[in-house]
Amino acid sequence: MTLPLIINDVHDSQMFALAQAAGRAGIPVVGTSPVAAPWAEVSRYVDRLVELPDTNSVYAGFLLRTIERLNLSGVWMPAYEDMAEFTAIYRDVLKKQGLKLLSVDEAGYEAADVARLKEPMDGLKLPATWSVAWQALCDHADEFTYPCLLKVFRNDHVRLDNAEAMRRHAKTYATEHKPDEQLTVQQWIEGDVTRMATAMLLFDADSRPVRGFTGRRLRVAPARFGPFGETTAAQAEWIPELYEGACELMAALHWQGFAEVECKQGPDGSWYLIEINRRASGWMCAAEADGAGMLQAYYRICSEGVKLEECVLQRSNTRYMRMVGNDYHAPDWFVGSFPAGSRQKRFRHFLHAMLDYRKVPESICMGAWDRRDKRANREMLRLTWEALRTPLK
């Protein structure tokens, strides 16, 4: 019997895009979701969709019992932060339930928190980074290096230029957050979005890198306090120094499974470590479109027990744009570097992107938009249309 690849949270467009990428590679897919995901229900790439509670809404014991009750079996691939943490904590329990997976344990997961890392590091530099409870921000405001980035939610980051600005922000938004809520404060590295790049890595059970990919960001979604949202457009680009530095870092942490190492190139030309996403990245679908072969490698290691050698397979010719939005942002409607504009301009950009895609589909990845997955496209078209009609702020 062929084991399926189990991908969590496929109601999210990025996670669904990963499911499509796995399906295109010939891997049978089971999707899980806490809410309705009609596009996954009708997708040609998803063999089965099951309802699995969100890790934020239930106790871990209930989630484990639900997984057992559903008789889930196959290759387990956590694809968002909470589920990756859950997997690390209950790694051995999940394996006993018959799931195949690659993951560090809880201690290994916590060790890969950027706020816990200390210099020196080979290849990558570490900006000054602090982990602070929201209630303590004012008291510690003078201890931070400015300008800095206050990281709360992924769509709620804010750049602050001095201690007084930090105190004002903390007081203004204190009621929106729990007093003991932990957040990260990180020294700001100068430079625009295009100086940010990502290394996506896959490590085996012996903490050996077996597959990798690097790409450069082109645009991010504007969030409440500035352009600090999720990636909406990127370009596959081989950056050897970034890849090597990321591999050295994660190998030193004895990593297993997927990791996304986000970095920014400073004015001095050095690469600074911004964040480690301890899971498969949502825009890894772009890596797969560029030939990285990370999903296939993960599936083979877990399902067949094969031992793979390190190999970077990317072609570095794929452009990525996230065509379908979710609760965090509107989609990215264009391939080129067009400025933000009116609703009419956005629609023209959308048409431009679709025409570009029809001409050279092999070099453009549009996230969860796949012309061969027509029934899923129709279900997602409503989200696309609503985003086009949403007034610009």
Side-chain angles (χ1 to χ4, degrees):
M1 179 180 177
T2 303
L3 293 175
L5 180 64
I6 303 169
I7 299 180
N8 305 116
D9 212 25
V10 293
H11 65 284
D12 178 273
S13 64
Q14 287 186 305
M15 302 306 106
F16 177 58
L18 283 182
Q20 290 177 310
R24 286 193 293 270
I27 301 171
V29 174
V30 168
T32 78
S33 176
V35 298
W39 35 86
E41 291 178 1
V42 299
S43 173
R44 64 179 295 177
Y45 302 115
V46 178
D47 298 292
R48 178 186 170 204
L49 181 66
V50 298
E51 182 179 346
L52 192 66
D54 190 284
T55 50
N56 286 326
S57 61
V58 297
Y59 292 109
F62 179 79
L63 185 55
L64 287 169
R65 286 195 297 272
T66 303
I67 292 171
E68 185 177 21
R69 177 178 56 81
L70 290 170
N71 196 28
L72 283 179
S73 62
V75 176
W76 178 263
M77 195 188 85
Y80 66 101
E81 205 68 47
D82 291 340
M83 190 60 82
E85 184 178 15
F86 168 84
T87 301
I89 296 171
Y90 298 100
R91 177 184 66 172
D92 295 336
V93 177
L94 292 169
K95 286 183 178 180
K96 286 180 181 178
Q97 291 189 0
L99 294 170
K100 311 287 187 180
L101 59 95
L102 271 176
S103 173
V104 292
D105 59 15
E106 183 179 7
Y109 185 88
E110 293 179 351
D113 183 345
V114 170
R116 294 173 180 260
L117 300 179
K118 305 295 181 185
E119 287 191 290
M121 293 167 50
D122 293 332
L124 305 179
K125 289 188 175 181
L126 184 65
T129 306
W130 302 264
S131 182
V132 188
W134 188 270
Q135 62 189 356
L137 272 181
C138 289
D139 294 338
H140 292 276
D142 291 319
E143 301 174 14
F144 305 134
T145 301
Y146 294 94
C148 67
L149 193 64
L150 175 63
K151 300 180 176 182
V152 189
F153 302 119
R154 55 182 169 176
N155 62 331
D156 213 10
H157 295 177
V158 58
R159 173 181 158 149
L160 298 164
D161 291 324
N162 51 56
E164 185 55 36
M166 175 69 80
R167 291 191 185 93
R168 286 198 305 269
H169 186 83
K171 291 176 181 177
T172 302
Y173 293 96
T175 56
E176 296 185 14
H177 305 278
K178 298 177 181 178
D180 60 349
E181 179 183 338
Q182 289 292 126
L183 56 134
T184 300
V185 179
Q186 188 170 74
Q187 174 189 354
W188 173 257
I189 305 301
E190 294 295 339
D192 63 15
V193 167
T194 60
R195 297 187 74 87
M196 297 183 68
T198 286
M200 284 178 280
L201 309 171
L202 173 61
F203 283 76
D204 66 12
D206 298 319
S207 299
R208 298 166 51 252
V210 293
R211 293 291 183 273
F213 169 87
T214 59
R216 186 176 298 276
R217 298 187 179 197
L218 301 180
R219 283 183 299 280
V220 296
R224 178 162 54 158
F225 300 113
F228 306 123
E230 296 181 7
T231 301
T232 60
Q235 170 72 52
E237 178 183 338
W238 174 235
I239 309 174
E241 63 274 22
L242 175 59
Y243 171 77
E244 291 164 7
C247 283
E248 290 173 2
L249 167 64
M250 300 311 295
L253 293 171
H254 307 291
W255 195 253
Q256 297 178 42
F258 289 107
E260 179 191 13
V261 181
E262 297 183 3
C263 297
K264 188 173 184 178
Q265 193 170 31
D268 61 353
S270 299
W271 286 99
Y272 289 82
L273 175 64
I274 302 302
E275 189 170 72
I276 301 174
N277 285 317
R278 296 160 282 184
R279 54 177 171 78
S281 165
W283 61 284
M284 197 170 74
C285 55
E288 294 303 288
D290 200 57
M294 299 178 75
L295 288 172
Q296 299 99 309
Y298 181 83
Y299 180 78
R300 289 197 63 203
I301 291 171
C302 293
S303 64
E304 303 172 23
V306 298
K307 192 176 183 68
L308 300 177
E309 297 304 317
E310 181 179 6
C311 186
V312 177
L313 302 172
Q314 73 177 82
R315 299 184 297 265
S316 298
N317 66 357
T318 298
R319 290 174 290 172
Y320 164 74
M321 54 183 175
R322 187 173 176 180
M323 287 299 294
V324 180
N326 61 12
D327 293 340
Y328 295 103
H329 61 79
D332 197 286
W333 295 123
F334 40 88
V335 180
S337 299
F338 294 99
S342 66
R343 190 183 305 167
Q344 289 75 19
K345 286 183 179 178
R346 292 168 75 194
F347 189 74
R348 287 201 298 271
H349 296 160
F350 170 73
L351 293 178
H352 169 86
M354 296 301 291
L355 289 172
D356 230 11
Y357 178 64
R358 287 176 63 85
K359 291 177 184 176
V360 283
E362 69 282 354
S363 64
I364 295 177
C365 174
M366 300 174 74
W369 193 272
D370 184 322
R371 65 178 181 176
R372 291 164 293 185
D373 205 8
K374 295 179 180 178
R375 294 177 67 193
N377 287 348
R378 284 196 294 269
E379 292 292 342
M380 280 197 153
L381 190 59
R382 176 180 56 82
L383 292 179
T384 305
W385 180 246
E386 287 178 357
L388 276 172
R389 296 174 65 236
T390 300
L392 293 171
K393 296 182 180 179

